[in-house]
Amino acid sequence: MDGNIAEGARRMDLKEHIRGIPDFPKPGILFYDISTLLRDADAWQVAMGRMAKAVRAYQPDLLAGIESRGFLIAAPLALKLGCGFIMLRKRNKLPGVTVGLNYSLEYGTDRVEVQADAVEAGQRVVVVDDLLATGGTMAAGIALLRQVGAVVPAAAALIELTFLKGRTRLDVPCEALVSYDE
């Protein structure tokens, strides 16, 4: 990479590549759409480079992507870091024997599952999603991985909605590339 390209990558504001979609999926919600980031090769490279730098410090053996946009971040990041990738999915979406955990949402409950043989006891697994909002799904993913014997040193997200205080529900450090305060 020549000096001008490297300097541009250091200064790139990833927020310029994430668009806000008002009233999606329902009125009053501002949805942060990462599809515009994913389709810009330069921005996507910069995002993955920054995420790799942040996550590498936790020395993961595996990255666990949370369904479904978390897969988009975790799989290429695992490849970049030279570690494995596993999926945390909704009920009945994984083949074979699974282990699951029910957790509370703002209105109701949900369930996250992992294949029973996805993690060897003691493996270091960083949980990855596209967005950290209220923290419920991320916290459930961490708890589930511990249930199957993983050591979870950290979590990571491309975007954090800091005003929802989801980080307070996590008992591990969380790396986020972009944050929105409102």
Side-chain angles (χ1 to χ4, degrees):
M1 196 182 302
D2 73 30
N4 291 338
I5 294 172
E7 180 61 28
R10 275 194 294 278
R11 292 183 311 185
M12 183 180 286
D13 182 357
L14 293 176
K15 283 185 177 181
E16 293 176 3
H17 300 277
I18 299 169
R19 69 178 165 193
I21 307 283
D23 300 320
F24 183 84
K26 60 185 182 180
I29 301 290
L30 178 60
F31 181 82
Y32 292 99
D33 181 15
I34 65 168
S35 65
T36 47
L37 173 74
L38 295 171
R39 70 177 170 232
D40 183 305
D42 292 336
W44 185 225
Q45 284 285 352
V46 168
M48 286 295 92
R50 289 178 186 172
M51 193 78 111
K53 183 177 179 183
V55 171
R56 184 177 286 116
Y58 298 99
Q59 301 174 321
D61 298 308
L62 298 167
L63 298 185
I66 298 175
E67 184 170 342
S68 66
R69 289 185 304 268
F71 299 169
L72 298 172
I73 311 298
L77 184 59
L79 189 63
K80 191 170 191 66
L81 291 173
C83 61
F85 165 73
I86 62 173
M87 295 176 281
L88 302 182
R89 298 208 63 189
K90 295 177 180 172
R91 179 187 315 267
N92 299 323
K93 297 289 186 178
L94 290 169
V97 178
T98 61
V99 177
L101 180 73
N102 295 323
Y103 64 100
S104 297
L105 296 169
E106 191 174 347
Y107 302 104
T109 62
D110 208 346
R111 182 174 176 86
V112 65
E113 296 180 342
V114 66
Q115 289 174 314
D117 63 354
V119 177
E120 293 177 20
Q123 280 190 301
R124 296 173 63 81
V125 183
V126 173
V127 181
V128 179
D129 206 353
D130 69 316
L131 178 77
L132 175 62
T134 62
T137 303
M138 187 80 78
I142 292 167
L144 176 60
L145 287 164
R146 288 179 177 150
Q147 186 178 318
V148 296
V151 172
V152 183
L158 184 63
I159 299 169
E160 180 179 6
L161 304 180
T162 56
F163 60 95
L164 294 177
K165 301 185 185 342
R167 187 178 288 261
T168 63
R169 294 184 69 179
L170 308 181
D171 63 357
V172 297
C174 184
E175 303 290 338
L177 292 189
V178 174
S179 63
Y180 292 93
D181 300 325
E182 56 183 296

